[in-house]
Amino acid sequence: MSKQKISELQTERAKFKPVLPAIIKNGPAKVIPKFGTPTKSVSDHETVQKLFPNTYGMPSVRFVNGKNSEISKKIINVGVVLSGGQAPGGHNVIAGLFDGLKKANPKNKLTGFLGGPSGILEDKTIEITAPFLSKYRNTGGFDIIQSGRTKIETPEQFEQTKKNLLAHKIDALVVIGGDDSNTNAALLAEYFKKEKVNISVVGVPKTIDGDLKNEQIEASFGFDTATKIYSELTGNICRDVNSARKYWHFIRLMGRSASHITLEVGLKTQPNIVLIGEEVLAKKMTLSQIVDGIVDIIVKRAEMKKNFGVVLVPEGLIEFVPEMKELISALNDVLAENEATLNAMSTLEEKKNFVCEKLPENLAALMKSLPDIISSQLLIDRDPHGNVQVSQIETEKLLIEMIKKKLVELKKDGKYGGKFSAITHFFGYEGRCGAPSNFDANYCYALGYNSAVLSLNNLSGYLSSVRKLVKKAELWECGGVPLTMMMTIERRKGKEKPVIKKALVNLNGLPYKTLLKNRDTWAMTENYLYPGPIQYFGPYSVTDITTITLKEEQK
Ligand code: FBP
């Protein structure tokens, strides 16, 4: 078989050696865990404690210098699974985990479960060996073992998971995932403790959305690279806009719920309008108020003969608009309660009519008032965790349609004399598998290596935590945060469920305040910034810059 060809950049990038934090760089046997005080969930303490009687309240852990010779003596088998949406750097998490395990004892073994959590249930595995792994180091994507969104939730699935992991003699399972996947990891850790099965479960914070963070987790991996890619593309569009001066570009950016991606890209490129879902929610803005705000800027720019501009729309915006939030939440319940009936219906029209009959009058009226394309997209199946798939809802088109109507009215009244020609974009999948930036390459490798240290210490129900990220990688701190500490109770698929709390954009935080301070100027000018492509080689000032969000949050 001929050798697979790789690009010139991949060839050079394969030589990159991630920098490990000094504390763990001498190997897992050279550190010991230092435990903090018992922890509490972020809210709903009693309910969460009842649901996690065996793992609730564990202390957080920090690794400090020390000697643990037991670590090198034992031989362990670790399983790893990639769960949920892709994020740049996943391959380096696996590389760090593999290298950490082999450093502790070359006989340790790493097994990959294929295609996400379904690989555990269906027992689809591959042994990860050095030659196999070598072609994936420092590359983007999750293709090494692929990913999936299956949720392990029924008693039978938990039982099957236990059976399959025991059959492979797995001592620890590393779940690389976002908030939902790590909620699943927490439930598995609890289940194994309850069943007295000695398998540790360790999570790794992944998601381009940047919403898996808190006091202990400064950033989820992938956010850095993905936002750099979207910023490059957005900057290019700003430059095109400024050159042609004839279109309004509406760019919807991924981020299922929180608007962190949009905020970061906004700060990096300084376009004319940056919508933030959390602000919409806080101000209880209606769709038509959002549209009025955009129209106001379009009209003012038109008066300056500027019939062009760039608008950033977070994909989660729709769920933040109170009336839409109410509609989506009611739809979630109707869809969950009538799954079989709806599945049996063949046309969307039929489904829409059925659903509207089940909705309260005001919400049915709202549903009917939406353009067909949007109301249909609202009915698309929820993901296995019960989330509406906002990546499939073209909110930017809804806004444009409403803006056009408003501008026609204003024109009739002689209040607008411009020309509005809109172009839409959706940047999401373009950034999720990009080659990891130096930051993500190092961070992911450290997170993976650290998850090996947690596994070797038999610490279960912990999320791999690497901190002090604005410092150089050598100075990062390593440890673990109990998953139950991040839990809250939310309504999913019509039921109250424990979930890891999503971090939304903090309206009192510096990143948002920076936007607030500048946005009126950016609205009327062309103060665009052009970040350009990710740099992997060259001066430190361009190769190792972290996100504005991280820098400002950690100030
Ligand atoms: P995760 O939370 O699993 O990391 O995925 C986030 C995300 O990339 C969102 O930004 C986006 O809405 C969603 O995945 C798209 O999902 P899918 O890959 O199933 O189309």
Side-chain angles (χ1 to χ4, degrees), residues 83-85 149 179 206-209 254-256 315 389-392 429 432:
S83 183
R149 288 197 185 276
D179 50 343
K206 168 237 69 168
T207 178
I208 59 161
D209 293 3
M254 253 190 191
R256 185 156 37 137
E315 72 169 2
Q389 301 196 50
V390 277
S391 63
Q392 312 290 317
Y429 300 99
R432 298 201 310 182

Side-chain angles (χ1 to χ4, degrees), residues 81-380:
V81 64
L82 289 160
S83 183
Q86 285 70 255
H91 289 164
N92 268 26
V93 176
I94 296 180
L97 170 60
F98 179 86
D99 291 351
L101 290 173
K102 294 290 178 184
K103 172 88 180 173
N105 187 334
K107 290 197 178 127
N108 287 338
K109 211 172 110 182
L110 182 61
T111 301
F113 287 95
L114 298 170
S118 64
I120 304 179
L121 298 173
E122 292 160 18
D123 197 19
K124 293 189 177 147
T125 62
I126 187 168
E127 184 178 348
I128 296 178
T129 60
F132 172 65
L133 181 62
S134 66
K135 55 180 182 290
Y136 293 99
R137 289 179 187 264
N138 308 315
T139 59
F142 277 7
D143 41 316
I144 184 170
I145 49 172
Q146 306 95 49
S147 185
R149 288 197 185 276
T150 300
K151 186 176 183 189
I152 299 176
E153 59 183 339
T154 64
E156 296 74 28
Q157 286 174 324
F158 276 89
E159 182 63 30
Q160 191 64 42
T161 302
K162 181 175 86 179
K163 199 172 139 219
N164 291 352
L165 294 184
L166 287 175
H168 287 282
K169 299 194 168 50
I170 296 285
D171 301 286
L173 175 70
V174 175
V175 177
I176 305 173
D179 50 343
D180 287 332
S181 312
N182 276 300
T183 297
N184 226 195
L187 290 164
L188 272 180
E190 175 64 30
Y191 172 73
F192 291 146
K193 282 252 164 90
K194 188 187 93 198
E195 295 282 300
K196 306 212 176 340
V197 172
N198 196 15
I199 302 175
S200 331
V201 184
V202 172
V204 175
K206 168 237 69 168
T207 178
I208 59 161
D209 293 3
D211 55 6
L212 177 46
K213 64 177 169 187
N214 45 50
E215 295 266 300
Q216 292 75 27
I217 303 293
E218 295 174 3
S220 55
F221 79 76
F223 178 73
D224 183 272
T225 309
T227 52
K228 280 178 175 142
I229 295 173
Y230 304 142
S231 299
E232 179 203 352
L233 299 174
T234 302
N236 292 350
I237 285 179
C238 289
R239 198 136 220 173
D240 194 284
V241 156
N242 206 9
S243 309
R245 302 190 156 226
K246 59 178 179 180
Y247 298 124
W248 272 91
H249 286 260
F250 283 69
I251 305 173
R252 178 163 52 102
L253 288 157
M254 253 190 191
R256 185 156 37 137
S257 185
S259 307
H260 298 293
I261 292 181
T262 300
L263 179 55
E264 173 68 20
V265 175
L267 295 174
K268 275 219 175 86
T269 57
Q270 307 186 173
N272 306 99
I273 300 174
V274 180
L275 301 175
I276 298 294
E278 290 80 347
E279 179 185 350
V280 166
L281 180 71
K283 293 184 178 163
K284 297 194 172 49
M285 289 169 82
T286 60
L287 262 180
S288 89
Q289 283 169 327
I290 299 172
V291 168
D292 286 349
I294 303 174
V295 165
D296 187 50
I297 294 172
I298 293 175
V299 171
K300 286 192 179 130
R301 283 182 69 87
E303 283 162 8
M304 297 188 283
K305 302 272 174 287
K306 294 179 180 180
N307 289 303
F308 61 91
V310 176
V311 185
L312 299 190
V313 183
E315 72 169 2
L317 181 78
I318 191 130
E319 273 200 285
F320 281 109
V321 180
E323 77 237 42
M324 294 302 294
K325 190 179 166 70
E326 208 188 325
L327 173 62
I328 290 172
S329 155
L331 280 175
N332 288 349
D333 290 353
V334 175
L335 296 183
E337 282 154 20
N338 301 281
E339 209 177 330
T341 319
L342 284 158
N343 282 346
M345 293 181 180
S346 49
T347 68
L348 250 167
E349 203 49 45
E350 216 182 330
K351 286 186 188 178
K352 232 189 282 181
N353 290 339
F354 174 85
V355 163
C356 283
E357 270 170 33
K358 302 263 170 207
L359 289 172
E361 213 174 304
N362 63 327
L363 298 180
L366 173 61
M367 182 78 173
K368 285 178 192 157
S369 74
L370 294 171
D372 266 357
I373 174 171
I374 302 293
S375 52
S376 314
Q377 288 167 351
L378 284 173
L379 292 180
I380 293 172

